[in-house]
Every structure is written in structure tokens, then in C-alpha cells.
Amino acid sequence: MTARERIAGNVAGYVDDRTGAAKWMKKNLTKVFPDHWSFLLGEIALYSFIILLLSGTFLTFWFDPSMKEVVYNGSYEPLQGIKMSAAYASTLDISFEVRGGLLMRQIHHWAALIFMVGIVVHLMRVYFTGAFRKPREFNWIIGVGLLTLGIVEGFLGYSLPDDLLSGTGIRIAEAIIQALPVVGSYLSYFAFGGAFPGELFISRIYTVHILLLPGIFLALITVHLMLVWYQKHTQFPGPGRTEKNVVGYPLMPVYMAKAGGFFFIVFGVTAFLGAVASINPVWLYGPYTPGQVSAGSQPDWYMGWLDGLVRMAPPLETYLFGYTVSWNILIPGLILPGIMFTGLALYPFIESWATGDKREHHLLDRPRNAPNRTAIGAMALTFTLVSLINGGNDIIATTFDLTINQMMWFSRIAIIVLPPIAFVVTKRLCLSLQRADRDLVLHGRETGRLVRMPNGEFIEVHEPISAEKAWLLTSHEQLAPLELPEHDGAGVRRPGALKNKLRNRISRAAAVAVPKATETERRELEGHH
Ligand code: HEM
């Protein structure tokens, strides 16, 4: 034993005598994780969050969250002598006076954008592979909570500098708060400490942005990862993988090395973007004054869909008992997002209700083998994408020489017409892919080799696929539709018949599939090749 090993052993023994950690560590460090590139998406979100904490802490040293009026005297000449809030002036100072300050601001902002991309793409992977099914429904709900908090946290973050763009965003938030019937104006006065914009808002959202929400994030992410640990990670079907085991590599040393390396890749990419790609150049926008809005005001991408929905809403208002109900803000700003996020959170329960499948699932689905789920996902994405596009309607209009009216009408029609089309097309695509899988199993791979037969006929030679691949393409199960009774033995409608009828219908739609190739069919056809 070398001296180094002896010292390490002594230290480990010392700690173990006092904490009993060795047994726990041995058990957990050898825990096995399955491997797939898509399992890294959650890690991108995780590492971006760490980068956000580190870079954000740096920014707090110089940022002054105050709306006190000051006259700017810093080194950025175009704004010298202009009155602005201390928050805006300190953001300019971080950008131009503090060493490395601009880089840190840009890293922080890029990390926020990547964090949100990481969350959304991770959510899509969990959704499209069915990883949210029993027993992972709670973790899905925690995930939806993290997504919502991420959007709020990001919005509060880019509202802090009190520049013209961020002030415009806060003005929209104020409008949405005010649109709430009855309590709206009270809530707005409460949030802003008086009439908009007041002098308190920035310091209030600062506390929420750097203390409250990061604390909740830390707690939720910890529970999220503990649940992944406890429930074990799902895996794609493959040789030796069942619903009851996990095939993969141990945490130590394989995943420790991989995760460590991947953290530095995410950090490197974020730092590179922060160094070379300008983001939120607040000095160009100027300080916020409620009377001004600049053309081309764009929120960060994860808020763009909400802005897009508000921008396309028709001017609907009703006057009730002397009050104005602004449907044009209430519907796109609160009701639709409420429905979208509630639907998202409840999806695992809705799906298991519709299919009647209440079993545990640890093996993932290929998206094509769950055509209805995949089609619903495509429909939701299309809806969000159309709103997101309309969030940039002014920029798109000027870039492509269109009018705002054309953009608005395009998105009003597209948001109703395109999602159902996306549903139908995706479902058909999934079924076609299932058919292609079936053909592949039964007739083998097209080799591209054309052969002329003695009778003059040309055929393309097919090559049988490996037994492993054939198994992979046929190992998934195909759910039978529910057949809940609508009538009792005497032919009389039972109580709850309508509900059963509805569930039968939905489950029939969910169970539509191209029958997968069976072993008997395969054997029968083998003679023909
Ligand atoms: C701050 C945001 C988030 C972080 C840091 C995070 C992190 C992670 C990590 C590292 C994993 C394990 C690796 C992987 O499967 O990718 C994971 C798994 C999981 N996440 Fe997230 N996640 C976040 C948000 C979300 C969201 C928005 C959802 C869905 C609405 C979600 C649902 C899940 C589920 C169900 C699992 C278990 C997946 C499985 O076992 O296959 N997470 N998360």
C-alpha cells in the first residue's frame, strides 16, 4: 500500500467511524443507471441551474435593486446625464465598470435561456417516451411546477434591470393582473405598492428572484432527483431489460466521470455564448419610462408564446355592473395558460384513465408505438409554436414585408386549424412507421440490390434483420381497447353508462395500431425468402 493510499484509507476510516457513511456510500455509489443520450437532457437543466446560482451570486454583489432616481455618470457616453433608476444605473455599471461584469451578465442570461430549453426538451423526452406513467406521476407534477417556476423566475430576472424592454414586460404583467375580475385592481395595487410603476416593485421582485424562488427550486429539484433515485430510472427496451431490472453502468466511476465532464461541456458552451454573443444589451434600450415602448420589443423565448396569445386576441370586452371584463387579456393571459398547465400536470392521470392502464411502467415507449400520445404532443407543440411565432409578429412583419394585420389573421386562423392537422398527420405518420416496422420484421431490410430473375422479372433483394432487432421491433405491447359495460344483463342501461361509453370510445382511439408481426407470421414468411 502506498503512503497516499494509507492516508486516504485513514481519512475514510475516520469519517466512517463518526458517520457510518461507508455502507451507505457503497450501496449508492454502485447504483446502476441505464444509458441513453436523451437522459442527458435533464442534466442540461440541472447544470444550467448551478451556473445560474453561481453567476447570479456574482451579480448580486453590484446590482442595486432600487427605483431611487439617480443621474447616470458612468462611462457609457450616450446615457450620461440622464435620469434613471439606481437598478438600471447599476446594471450599466456591471456591464461597463465591473471587471468581467458584462461577461457574467451574459453568462447568467444565456444560462437562463439554456435552462429553459433544457427543461422543455427534457419534458418532451419524458412525455414522448411515456416516462411519466406510474409510478412517476408525482415527479411529472413536480416537473410541471419547475417549468412554471422557471418561466416566472426568468421573467422576474429580466425585469430587474428596469430598462425600457423589461418595464414594458412588467406593464403587460400588470395588465394581466388587472384583468382578473373583482380582485385585479386590488392585487395590482398590492404588488406595486400603489399605482404602476411605483417605487417598490424592483426591490420586491429582487427578493423573490434571488431568495424565494431559488430556495423553492433547490427543494423541488432535490425531491425530483431523490424520486428518480428511489424509483430508479426508466430504460428503453433492449436485450436483458425488463420491467423489473435496470441494465446500465454504475454511478461510480462511469456516471461520475460522464456527469462531471458533461457539466463542464454545458458550462463551456454557456461561457462561450456569454463571451461572443451579445444578449440583452440594456444600454441600447434606455431607462424605463411608462410613456414609451420601442418597436420590436420581444420577451425571452419562454414567455414569447404568452405574449403571442395576448397579441392575437380579438378586442373582446364586456361591461358588467359598472365593471369592465377584458376577455381579450383574461382569456389569452390567464384562462388559456391555466388550461394548458393544468392539462399538462394532469396528463398522466388522463392517459391512464383513458386507456385503463394502471400498471407500473419502467420500460419506455417508442413514440410511434403510442400514436395517440405522440399526436396529442404534436398538437400541443403546434399550438405553442403558432403563439410563439405571433409573439414576434412585428419583427416577422418587418422582416418579410408583411403587415401586422396579415400576421395577426394568419395566427388567429392557424392556432385553430393547424393543431388538429398536426394531430391527424402525426397519428398517420406513427401508424405508417409501425407498418414499416412490421414490414421490416416480416420481409427484412431492403438491400438496394436489384436482381434479374430467369423469367426477366426484377426484384430487390431483402435481407433478414437480426433476431435482436426483430425482438426490439416486436417487444412492445399493444393495448386492447376497453370494453366497459354500458348495459346490465337484462339489456338495461347501467348507471354510469355514459361515462363508460366515453371511456370505451377514447380507449378505442388510443388503441388504434398496426398489428405487430407475430412469431408465427415471421416463421411462415421465412420460407418465402
Ligand atoms: C429544473 C428543472 C428540472 C431539472 C433540473 C430536472 C432534472 C432531471 C434529471 C437530472 C433527471 C434524470 C435524467 C433524465 O431522465 O433526464 C430527471 C428525470 C425526470 N424528470 Fe426532470 N428535471 C426538471 C424538470 C422536469 C420537468 C419540467 C418534467 C416534466 C413535466 C420532469 C419530469 C421528469 C421525470 C418524470 C423524470 C423521470 C424520468 C425517467 O425515469 O425516465 N422534469 N429530471
Short mmCIF file of all heavy atoms in Angstrom, two decimals, residues 49-81:
data_model
loop_
_atom_site.label_atom_id
_atom_site.label_comp_id
_atom_site.label_asym_id
_atom_site.label_seq_id
_atom_site.Cartn_x
_atom_site.Cartn_y
_atom_site.Cartn_z
N PHE A 49 -28.81 25.25 -14.02
CA PHE A 49 -29.29 25.81 -12.76
C PHE A 49 -28.10 26.15 -11.86
O PHE A 49 -28.06 27.22 -11.23
CB PHE A 49 -30.24 24.82 -12.06
CG PHE A 49 -30.80 25.34 -10.77
CD1 PHE A 49 -31.67 26.42 -10.77
CD2 PHE A 49 -30.44 24.78 -9.56
CE1 PHE A 49 -32.17 26.93 -9.58
CE2 PHE A 49 -30.95 25.29 -8.37
CZ PHE A 49 -31.81 26.37 -8.38
N ILE A 50 -27.12 25.25 -11.81
CA ILE A 50 -25.93 25.52 -10.98
C ILE A 50 -25.21 26.77 -11.51
O ILE A 50 -24.80 27.64 -10.75
CB ILE A 50 -24.99 24.29 -10.98
CG1 ILE A 50 -25.71 23.12 -10.33
CG2 ILE A 50 -23.68 24.61 -10.25
CD1 ILE A 50 -24.99 21.80 -10.44
N ILE A 51 -25.08 26.86 -12.85
CA ILE A 51 -24.42 28.03 -13.44
C ILE A 51 -25.20 29.31 -13.08
O ILE A 51 -24.62 30.35 -12.77
CB ILE A 51 -24.31 27.88 -14.97
CG1 ILE A 51 -23.47 26.64 -15.31
CG2 ILE A 51 -23.70 29.12 -15.61
CD1 ILE A 51 -23.49 26.25 -16.76
N LEU A 52 -26.53 29.20 -13.08
CA LEU A 52 -27.36 30.36 -12.72
C LEU A 52 -27.09 30.80 -11.29
O LEU A 52 -26.96 32.00 -11.01
CB LEU A 52 -28.84 30.02 -12.89
CG LEU A 52 -29.36 30.04 -14.33
CD1 LEU A 52 -30.73 29.41 -14.42
CD2 LEU A 52 -29.39 31.47 -14.85
N LEU A 53 -26.99 29.82 -10.38
CA LEU A 53 -26.73 30.18 -8.98
C LEU A 53 -25.39 30.88 -8.83
O LEU A 53 -25.28 31.91 -8.15
CB LEU A 53 -26.74 28.92 -8.10
CG LEU A 53 -28.08 28.25 -7.83
CD1 LEU A 53 -27.91 27.08 -6.87
CD2 LEU A 53 -29.07 29.25 -7.23
N LEU A 54 -24.37 30.34 -9.50
CA LEU A 54 -23.02 30.91 -9.35
C LEU A 54 -22.94 32.31 -9.98
O LEU A 54 -22.50 33.27 -9.35
CB LEU A 54 -21.98 29.98 -9.99
CG LEU A 54 -21.84 28.60 -9.33
CD1 LEU A 54 -20.87 27.72 -10.10
CD2 LEU A 54 -21.37 28.77 -7.88
N SER A 55 -23.40 32.41 -11.24
CA SER A 55 -23.27 33.72 -11.91
C SER A 55 -24.20 34.74 -11.26
O SER A 55 -23.87 35.92 -11.14
CB SER A 55 -23.56 33.58 -13.41
OG SER A 55 -24.80 32.95 -13.61
N GLY A 56 -25.37 34.28 -10.81
CA GLY A 56 -26.33 35.19 -10.16
C GLY A 56 -25.75 35.76 -8.87
O GLY A 56 -25.91 36.95 -8.57
N THR A 57 -25.05 34.90 -8.11
CA THR A 57 -24.46 35.38 -6.85
C THR A 57 -23.46 36.50 -7.15
O THR A 57 -23.42 37.53 -6.47
CB THR A 57 -23.74 34.21 -6.13
OG1 THR A 57 -24.66 33.16 -6.00
CG2 THR A 57 -23.24 34.62 -4.77
N PHE A 58 -22.67 36.32 -8.21
CA PHE A 58 -21.72 37.36 -8.61
C PHE A 58 -22.46 38.68 -8.87
O PHE A 58 -22.05 39.74 -8.40
CB PHE A 58 -20.98 36.88 -9.87
CG PHE A 58 -19.98 37.87 -10.40
CD1 PHE A 58 -18.65 37.80 -10.04
CD2 PHE A 58 -20.38 38.87 -11.30
CE1 PHE A 58 -17.72 38.71 -10.54
CE2 PHE A 58 -19.46 39.78 -11.80
CZ PHE A 58 -18.13 39.70 -11.42
N LEU A 59 -23.57 38.59 -9.59
CA LEU A 59 -24.28 39.83 -9.96
C LEU A 59 -24.85 40.55 -8.73
O LEU A 59 -24.92 41.78 -8.70
CB LEU A 59 -25.41 39.51 -10.95
CG LEU A 59 -24.96 38.94 -12.30
CD1 LEU A 59 -26.15 38.59 -13.18
CD2 LEU A 59 -24.05 39.93 -13.03
N THR A 60 -25.25 39.76 -7.71
CA THR A 60 -25.85 40.42 -6.53
C THR A 60 -24.84 41.34 -5.83
O THR A 60 -25.25 42.25 -5.10
CB THR A 60 -26.32 39.40 -5.46
OG1 THR A 60 -25.19 38.65 -5.01
CG2 THR A 60 -27.38 38.47 -5.98
N PHE A 61 -23.53 41.11 -6.01
CA PHE A 61 -22.55 41.97 -5.34
C PHE A 61 -22.64 43.42 -5.81
O PHE A 61 -22.29 44.33 -5.08
CB PHE A 61 -21.12 41.45 -5.59
CG PHE A 61 -20.87 40.07 -5.07
CD1 PHE A 61 -19.85 39.29 -5.59
CD2 PHE A 61 -21.67 39.53 -4.06
CE1 PHE A 61 -19.61 38.02 -5.12
CE2 PHE A 61 -21.43 38.25 -3.59
CZ PHE A 61 -20.41 37.49 -4.12
N TRP A 62 -23.09 43.64 -7.05
CA TRP A 62 -23.09 45.00 -7.58
C TRP A 62 -24.46 45.55 -7.94
O TRP A 62 -24.63 46.74 -8.10
CB TRP A 62 -22.18 45.07 -8.82
CG TRP A 62 -20.75 44.96 -8.45
CD1 TRP A 62 -19.95 45.98 -8.00
CD2 TRP A 62 -19.94 43.80 -8.45
NE1 TRP A 62 -18.70 45.50 -7.73
CE2 TRP A 62 -18.65 44.17 -8.00
CE3 TRP A 62 -20.15 42.45 -8.79
CZ2 TRP A 62 -17.60 43.27 -7.88
CZ3 TRP A 62 -19.11 41.56 -8.68
CH2 TRP A 62 -17.85 41.97 -8.23
N PHE A 63 -25.43 44.65 -8.11
CA PHE A 63 -26.74 45.13 -8.54
C PHE A 63 -27.44 45.85 -7.38
O PHE A 63 -27.43 45.37 -6.25
CB PHE A 63 -27.61 43.96 -9.03
CG PHE A 63 -28.96 44.38 -9.50
CD1 PHE A 63 -29.09 45.11 -10.68
CD2 PHE A 63 -30.10 44.08 -8.76
CE1 PHE A 63 -30.35 45.53 -11.12
CE2 PHE A 63 -31.35 44.49 -9.20
CZ PHE A 63 -31.47 45.22 -10.37
N ASP A 64 -28.04 47.01 -7.67
CA ASP A 64 -28.74 47.77 -6.64
C ASP A 64 -30.24 47.74 -6.95
O ASP A 64 -30.70 48.44 -7.85
CB ASP A 64 -28.21 49.22 -6.66
CG ASP A 64 -28.89 50.08 -5.61
OD1 ASP A 64 -29.74 49.55 -4.86
OD2 ASP A 64 -28.58 51.28 -5.55
N PRO A 65 -31.02 46.94 -6.21
CA PRO A 65 -32.43 46.75 -6.59
C PRO A 65 -33.30 47.91 -6.11
O PRO A 65 -34.21 47.72 -5.32
CB PRO A 65 -32.79 45.46 -5.86
CG PRO A 65 -31.93 45.47 -4.66
CD PRO A 65 -30.66 46.16 -5.02
N SER A 66 -33.01 49.09 -6.59
CA SER A 66 -33.76 50.24 -6.06
C SER A 66 -34.27 51.09 -7.22
O SER A 66 -33.61 51.24 -8.25
CB SER A 66 -32.83 51.04 -5.15
OG SER A 66 -33.20 52.39 -5.17
N MET A 67 -35.45 51.66 -7.03
CA MET A 67 -36.02 52.52 -8.08
C MET A 67 -35.76 53.99 -7.77
O MET A 67 -36.35 54.88 -8.38
CB MET A 67 -37.51 52.24 -8.24
CG MET A 67 -37.76 50.85 -8.79
SD MET A 67 -39.46 50.38 -8.69
CE MET A 67 -40.03 50.82 -10.32
N LYS A 68 -34.87 54.22 -6.81
CA LYS A 68 -34.49 55.59 -6.48
C LYS A 68 -33.90 56.25 -7.73
O LYS A 68 -33.13 55.64 -8.46
CB LYS A 68 -33.42 55.52 -5.38
CG LYS A 68 -33.14 56.83 -4.69
CD LYS A 68 -32.15 56.60 -3.55
CE LYS A 68 -30.85 56.20 -4.15
NZ LYS A 68 -29.75 55.72 -3.57
N GLU A 69 -34.28 57.54 -7.94
CA GLU A 69 -33.80 58.18 -9.18
C GLU A 69 -32.35 58.67 -9.02
O GLU A 69 -32.01 59.29 -8.02
CB GLU A 69 -34.71 59.36 -9.51
CG GLU A 69 -34.56 59.79 -10.96
CD GLU A 69 -35.58 60.86 -11.32
OE1 GLU A 69 -35.41 62.01 -10.88
OE2 GLU A 69 -36.53 60.52 -12.03
N VAL A 70 -31.52 58.34 -9.99
CA VAL A 70 -30.13 58.83 -9.97
C VAL A 70 -29.82 59.42 -11.35
O VAL A 70 -30.55 59.19 -12.31
CB VAL A 70 -29.12 57.70 -9.68
CG1 VAL A 70 -29.31 57.11 -8.30
CG2 VAL A 70 -29.21 56.61 -10.75
N VAL A 71 -28.74 60.20 -11.42
CA VAL A 71 -28.30 60.70 -12.73
C VAL A 71 -27.08 59.91 -13.13
O VAL A 71 -26.13 59.77 -12.35
CB VAL A 71 -27.98 62.21 -12.65
CG1 VAL A 71 -27.43 62.70 -13.99
CG2 VAL A 71 -29.20 63.00 -12.24
N TYR A 72 -27.13 59.36 -14.35
CA TYR A 72 -26.05 58.47 -14.78
C TYR A 72 -24.78 59.25 -15.11
O TYR A 72 -24.83 60.24 -15.85
CB TYR A 72 -26.49 57.65 -16.00
CG TYR A 72 -25.43 56.70 -16.51
CD1 TYR A 72 -25.05 55.60 -15.74
CD2 TYR A 72 -24.80 56.90 -17.73
CE1 TYR A 72 -24.08 54.71 -16.19
CE2 TYR A 72 -23.85 56.03 -18.19
CZ TYR A 72 -23.49 54.93 -17.41
OH TYR A 72 -22.51 54.06 -17.86
N ASN A 73 -23.67 58.81 -14.54
CA ASN A 73 -22.40 59.47 -14.81
C ASN A 73 -21.30 58.49 -15.18
O ASN A 73 -20.13 58.80 -15.04
CB ASN A 73 -21.94 60.25 -13.57
CG ASN A 73 -22.51 61.65 -13.61
OD1 ASN A 73 -22.59 62.24 -14.69
ND2 ASN A 73 -22.94 62.16 -12.46
N GLY A 74 -21.72 57.32 -15.63
CA GLY A 74 -20.72 56.27 -15.92
C GLY A 74 -20.04 56.48 -17.25
O GLY A 74 -20.17 57.53 -17.89
N SER A 75 -19.37 55.41 -17.72
CA SER A 75 -18.53 55.59 -18.90
C SER A 75 -19.29 55.42 -20.23
O SER A 75 -18.73 55.64 -21.29
CB SER A 75 -17.36 54.61 -18.85
OG SER A 75 -17.86 53.31 -18.67
N TYR A 76 -20.54 55.01 -20.19
CA TYR A 76 -21.29 54.86 -21.45
C TYR A 76 -21.87 56.23 -21.85
O TYR A 76 -22.89 56.68 -21.33
CB TYR A 76 -22.40 53.82 -21.28
CG TYR A 76 -23.15 53.53 -22.56
CD1 TYR A 76 -22.51 52.95 -23.66
CD2 TYR A 76 -24.49 53.86 -22.69
CE1 TYR A 76 -23.19 52.69 -24.84
CE2 TYR A 76 -25.18 53.60 -23.86
CZ TYR A 76 -24.53 53.02 -24.93
OH TYR A 76 -25.20 52.78 -26.10
N GLU A 77 -21.19 56.88 -22.79
CA GLU A 77 -21.48 58.29 -23.09
C GLU A 77 -22.91 58.61 -23.48
O GLU A 77 -23.49 59.58 -22.99
CB GLU A 77 -20.50 58.80 -24.15
CG GLU A 77 -19.17 59.17 -23.51
CD GLU A 77 -18.21 59.74 -24.52
OE1 GLU A 77 -18.68 60.25 -25.57
OE2 GLU A 77 -17.01 59.66 -24.27
N PRO A 78 -23.55 57.83 -24.37
CA PRO A 78 -24.89 58.23 -24.83
C PRO A 78 -25.89 58.42 -23.69
O PRO A 78 -26.88 59.12 -23.86
CB PRO A 78 -25.31 57.08 -25.74
CG PRO A 78 -24.04 56.46 -26.19
CD PRO A 78 -23.06 56.64 -25.06
N LEU A 79 -25.67 57.78 -22.54
CA LEU A 79 -26.65 57.92 -21.45
C LEU A 79 -26.20 58.87 -20.35
O LEU A 79 -26.92 59.05 -19.35
CB LEU A 79 -26.96 56.53 -20.85
CG LEU A 79 -27.72 55.56 -21.77
CD1 LEU A 79 -27.91 54.22 -21.09
CD2 LEU A 79 -29.09 56.13 -22.15
N GLN A 80 -25.03 59.48 -20.50
CA GLN A 80 -24.53 60.35 -19.43
C GLN A 80 -25.47 61.53 -19.19
O GLN A 80 -25.99 62.11 -20.14
CB GLN A 80 -23.13 60.87 -19.78
CG GLN A 80 -22.06 59.85 -19.46
CD GLN A 80 -20.70 60.24 -19.99
OE1 GLN A 80 -20.55 61.27 -20.63
NE2 GLN A 80 -19.71 59.39 -19.76
N GLY A 81 -25.70 61.83 -17.91
CA GLY A 81 -26.55 62.97 -17.56
C GLY A 81 -28.03 62.64 -17.59
O GLY A 81 -28.87 63.50 -17.31
#
